[in-house]
Amino acid sequence: MLDHSDGSRPLRHPGTEHLLRYFEYDHLPAHPQAVSKPCGDLAQELVAVLPDGPELSAGLRKLLEAKDCFVRAALDTTPEN
């Protein structure tokens, strides 16, 4: 999310903020983190350029659902060494 010139974060709709927390990936082990990170980064990029509203919320929910599927698929595979 883009910061204001004073370094503070712009206020977003509570629903947007709520969804964004599910895109955090730092707590994951390396293998599923590598799968989750692109979705989290994309969510942040989209929130930075799109206004809050029902379409943004729907898009974030669908991206979150896809991210969860990708992470579960990663859990079923062996990390490459």
Side-chain angles (χ1 to χ4, degrees):
M1 185 174 303
L2 298 177
D3 293 338
H4 290 293
S5 59
D6 66 359
S8 66
R9 291 180 62 193
L11 295 176
R12 297 305 303 241
H13 187 275
T16 301
E17 290 290 336
H18 179 78
L19 286 167
L20 282 177
R21 70 188 182 126
Y22 294 117
F23 287 98
E24 295 175 3
Y25 49 82
D26 291 337
H27 65 286
L28 295 172
H31 182 56
Q33 187 179 106
V35 174
S36 182
K37 183 180 183 312
C39 293
D41 293 347
L42 178 59
Q44 291 292 336
E45 290 174 25
L46 293 170
V47 167
V49 298
L50 297 173
D52 290 322
E55 294 303 322
L56 177 62
S57 295
L60 289 174
R61 280 194 310 274
K62 291 172 189 248
L63 180 59
L64 178 61
E65 182 179 355
K67 188 259 320 176
D68 290 344
C69 292
F70 298 146
V71 169
R72 285 192 298 273
L75 294 174
D76 289 339
T77 63
T78 305
E80 293 182 24
N81 293 324

